[in-house]
Amino acid sequence: MSGFNKVVNSYEEALEGFKDDMTVMIGGFGLCGIPEGLIDQVYKMGNKGLTAISNNAGVDGFGLGKWLEKRQISTMIGSYVGENELFEKLLLSGEMEVILTPQGTLAEKIRAGGAGIPAFFTATGFGTKVAEGKETRNIDGRDYVLEPSLTADFALVKAWKADTMGNLIFNKTAMNFNPMMATAGKITVAEVEEIVEPGELDPNYIHTPGIYVQRVIKGNNFEKRIEQRTVKA
Amino acid sequence: MALSREQIAMRVAQELEDGFYVNLGIGIPTLVANYVPKGVEVMMQSENGLLGMGEFPTEETIDPDLINAGKQTVTAATGAAFFSSAESFAMIRGGHVDLTVLGAFEVDQQGNIASWMIPGKLVKGMGGAMDLVAGAENIIVTMTHANKHGQSKILKECTLPLTGAQCIKRVITELALMEIKDGAFHLIERAPGVSVEEIQEKTDGDLVVPDNVPEMNV
């Protein structure tokens, strides 16, 4: 078997080495483009004390909402609580530490983490709570906040297609945080809808090169739940 | 008469120019897309990774992989592009978006905006709003002039945690269009039939009123 074959055949194998107290990134925007099967597997395993990095925290009872139910997350880093009631409750009661991070800063922290950049200056959040306790600097007349980058023990991402070597292609807005997270995980696991042989994906259209991906699993049952089903009148 | 939500959106839409890339926030800003003036072509940027947001899909074309930043199912317009969240905020932070429209809880006369949390009560998170207000030159805030208890949200100084400092220059409410400069609100237009006195009464911040305040054309 090729040393570049990243395909695993079970969710157990996909999450081998996943432990309590680890830092984990989870791709998705709302429920769009989330690695549903990997999330369910961590829920089944019941690991606690996790630091979860994800834009949102699912909804009550689905996606990361499940991890909240079992109180598996001790620290959540994300940008939007939205309509998730349990999340808001855990936040307000202090039961879970929540580090609310501006969405663009979150995306860039992850991108930087994967690219070996330890921190960067951004104008976002200057003069707000987000900048409290952080180094600031005036560059050419404008004020900026120093934001440290993020990496993780595991990055759980969702892609549309992969080849067995871990090259990934995402579909439409299900891309969102997934490509950056793929670069920032020590172990990146991609849950995909279809796995093809090397050479079947056009190298011109690879979104995430396989070097970033350690494991690929074909998801067996994507629910792809829709949060706001809106149609033309 | 105070403007309806739709009329606020109509007034904002008059600010759209042909060839603009526009980011619309959740709520009233979303409605602006319904009133793009004839002959004006704009591309809507949705910060979850879509440039060129189209109309809502039909039951047949609905796609869970294609949503906007409000998590609504949408379509992609002709000439659209998909990209990652990092790329999306590079566009926003880098000042490539021509107009940003977003809502707020409070705005003050220094151009500060609060829109993401009410301590102890409501925590929604800032989402992309902090990046949008930091990155855009051209921002319009749409909001109601006062809360349901009649307390002004157009303030001398914001009371809630800020989304951005000294970044807002234009506000459109159901009563008025105001500009913020030199540490004060400047009344530019009023809603049809709304008196300057009513606007003054419902504005907590310093309000500069010129001799002639035209009515909005909505």
Side-chain angles (χ1 to χ4, degrees):
Chain A
M1 186 196 269
S2 158
F4 291 108
N5 187 347
K6 315 279 176 75
V7 177
V8 296
N9 293 308
S10 70
Y11 285 108
E12 289 79 9
E13 213 182 325
L15 285 164
E16 199 181 298
F18 192 92
K19 297 192 185 76
D20 287 3
D21 305 314
M22 275 189 163
T23 296
V24 53
M25 292 177 177
I26 308 96
F29 182 92
L31 301 179
C32 182
I34 61 173
E36 296 179 21
L38 293 170
I39 291 171
D40 282 351
Q41 179 62 25
V42 171
Y43 175 73
K44 270 188 213 144
M45 297 190 310
N47 299 88
K48 302 267 168 131
L50 301 175
T51 295
I53 302 170
S54 175
N55 189 55
N56 312 78
V59 295
D60 294 308
F62 189 69
L64 291 191
K66 289 185 154 182
W67 295 10
L68 297 176
E69 274 173 22
K70 275 197 187 169
R71 308 293 190 269
Q72 290 177 270
I73 302 174
S74 63
T75 303
M76 177 79 209
I77 301 174
S79 88
Y80 196 73
V81 188
E83 292 71 35
N84 188 325
E85 279 177 35
L86 180 56
F87 188 112
E88 197 164 355
K89 189 175 144 256
L90 295 173
L91 190 166
L92 290 172
S93 69
E95 209 177 321
M96 179 172 70
E97 187 191 6
V98 177
I99 304 173
L100 284 169
T101 305
Q103 197 174 130
T105 297
L106 182 63
E108 192 63 14
K109 276 169 171 273
I110 298 164
R111 196 200 65 80
I117 306 287
F120 56 92
F121 282 105
T122 176
T124 301
F126 183 85
T128 75
K129 270 180 183 295
V130 165
E132 280 173 15
K134 290 179 184 159
E135 186 182 335
T136 61
R137 188 178 300 181
N138 187 289
I139 301 172
D140 291 337
R142 194 156 185 216
D143 293 309
Y144 298 89
V145 186
L146 185 68
E147 291 283 0
S149 62
L150 290 168
T151 55
D153 298 303
F154 270 80
L156 311 182
V157 304
K158 157 73 181 32
W160 178 36
K161 287 184 185 178
D163 63 20
T164 57
M165 299 176 81
N167 293 305
L168 305 179
I169 296 178
F170 304 94
N171 187 40
K172 305 189 182 83
T173 58
M175 182 187 295
N176 55 63
F177 281 82
N178 286 297
M180 296 86 74
M181 288 184 174
T183 70
K186 285 194 193 89
I187 296 175
T188 290
V189 189
E191 183 176 6
V192 305
E193 294 177 45
E194 189 184 347
I195 301 176
V196 301
E197 289 303 314
E200 288 186 41
L201 300 179
D202 185 336
N204 270 316
Y205 298 105
I206 302 292
H207 290 127
T208 292
I211 191 169
Y212 297 115
V213 178
Q214 280 67 47
R215 299 171 193 171
V216 176
I217 183 164
K218 186 177 176 305
N220 44 24
N221 202 4
F222 288 104
E223 186 179 331
K224 292 199 180 183
R225 203 184 282 190
I226 293 172
E227 275 181 83
Q228 306 281 340
R229 192 182 186 88
T230 44
V231 293
K232 205 158 43 169
Chain B
M1 272 283 284
L3 302 184
S4 64
R5 290 161 55 86
E6 286 73 20
Q7 285 174 310
I8 294 175
M10 284 164 75
R11 180 61 193 86
V12 173
Q14 292 170 13
E15 302 298 312
L16 299 173
E17 291 179 25
D18 197 25
F20 261 19
Y21 292 102
V22 181
N23 183 291
L24 302 176
I26 297 165
I28 293 174
T30 305
L31 300 174
V32 173
N34 299 334
Y35 303 104
V36 179
K38 275 210 173 67
V40 171
E41 245 188 288
V42 296
M43 288 288 260
M44 301 294 179
Q45 202 258 15
S46 191
E47 64 264 26
N48 57 316
L50 168 59
L51 185 64
M53 181 167 46
E55 55 190 358
F56 291 139
T58 61
E59 283 292 347
E60 289 71 42
T61 60
I62 204 162
D63 183 347
D65 284 348
L66 182 42
I67 63 168
N68 64 17
K71 324 238 163 68
Q72 296 172 310
T73 47
V74 293
T75 57
T78 304
F82 299 116
F83 35 83
S84 73
S85 303
E87 182 85 45
S88 180
F89 282 93
M91 287 174 201
I92 290 166
R93 209 186 300 101
H96 304 280
V97 176
D98 297 299
L99 175 66
T100 293
V101 186
L102 75 174
F105 299 145
E106 297 175 343
V107 165
D108 74 25
Q109 63 197 35
Q110 299 303 330
N112 297 321
I113 174 172
S115 66
W116 68 282
M117 79 172 292
I118 299 173
K121 277 189 195 157
L122 174 78
V123 186
K124 292 167 79 70
M126 66 290 281
M130 284 194 180
D131 308 276
L132 282 160
V133 297
E137 262 303 301
N138 192 7
I139 306 170
I140 298 175
V141 172
T142 63
M143 59 190 295
T144 53
H145 217 93
N147 66 20
K148 47 182 180 271
H149 309 293
Q151 289 161 320
S152 183
K153 292 154 69 175
I154 309 295
L155 303 173
K156 284 191 169 60
E157 194 176 349
C158 287
T159 63
L160 297 170
L162 297 185
T163 306
Q166 298 177 27
C167 53
I168 304 303
K169 298 189 186 94
R170 271 191 298 177
V171 182
I172 299 180
T173 73
E174 77 281 21
L175 303 179
L177 189 165
M178 293 162 292
E179 282 181 9
I180 304 172
K181 58 182 176 192
D182 307 325
F185 292 96
H186 294 251
L187 185 56
I188 306 297
E189 293 176 15
R190 58 198 168 90
V194 170
S195 68
V196 169
E197 291 70 30
E198 180 179 352
I199 295 165
Q200 282 173 317
E201 191 187 317
K202 290 186 174 159
T203 304
D204 167 80
D206 296 333
L207 184 69
V208 177
V209 182
D211 291 340
N212 177 36
V213 183
E215 291 190 350
M216 289 179 205
N217 180 20
V218 287

